[in-house]
Amino acid sequence: MITLAVILGGVVWLVMHAYLVDWDAVKVAGAVVAGVALVLLVVARLQLGGSFAVKAKAKKLVTTGLYSRIRNPIYVFGAMLLVGMSVVLGNWVLLGLVVVLMPLQAYRARKEEAVLAAAFGEEYVRYKAGTWF
């Protein structure tokens, strides 16, 4: 829940300062991407529930909701949120952060996959075959 509180706190701060943005079509598109990504990120985190852990653990194999199509929706929508925010704010440092985070998230996803494959075996292999990232 701490991660959700931090994300929502940042969004509230951004919304309160939206009047400072010189809005144009590109920034509106960035805001739409960020907004959709935020909603999907929160949904993914809620769907993960008690299976969320900072360090990879095999509590339960979540295969429903967003996880029925994407194995790591928190990583995907977190990156989309940062891309949208970088467009809105015209802050390319955030975009650089995405470039740095993507390989780190891919590395972390591989570690999580190894833990889940060891714990759930063939069930995880079947799940992985029907999902993206």
Side-chain angles (χ1 to χ4, degrees):
M1 286 307 194
I2 293 172
T3 54
L4 284 178
V6 169
I7 291 167
L8 293 176
V11 169
V12 167
W13 183 86
L14 285 172
V15 168
M16 290 176 61
H17 294 86
Y19 68 92
L20 297 173
V21 175
D22 185 22
W23 292 98
D24 60 17
V26 172
K27 289 185 180 184
V28 169
V32 169
V33 167
V36 168
L38 174 66
V39 169
L40 293 172
L41 176 65
V42 170
V43 167
R45 175 58 186 88
L46 292 173
Q47 288 176 346
L48 192 55
S51 294
F52 177 81
V54 174
K55 187 176 179 185
K57 296 179 184 174
K59 296 179 183 179
K60 176 184 170 190
L61 185 59
V62 178
T63 61
T64 59
L66 294 171
Y67 291 87
S68 69
R69 299 287 179 223
I70 305 171
R71 288 188 306 279
N72 299 286
I74 291 175
Y75 299 158
V76 171
F77 299 126
M80 282 178 57
L81 177 62
L82 287 174
V83 168
M85 287 174 46
S86 73
V87 171
V88 170
L89 299 173
N91 184 335
W92 303 114
V93 172
L94 286 176
L95 198 56
L97 184 60
V98 173
V99 171
V100 170
L101 283 177
M102 287 181 69
L104 294 173
Q105 298 295 44
Y107 171 76
R108 188 170 174 183
R110 281 192 302 275
K111 285 177 62 177
E112 291 169 354
E113 284 181 3
V115 169
L116 293 170
F120 299 106
E122 186 60 34
E123 181 184 6
Y124 182 73
V125 171
R126 282 191 307 275
Y127 166 69
K128 185 178 175 183
T131 58
W132 175 74
F133 183 72

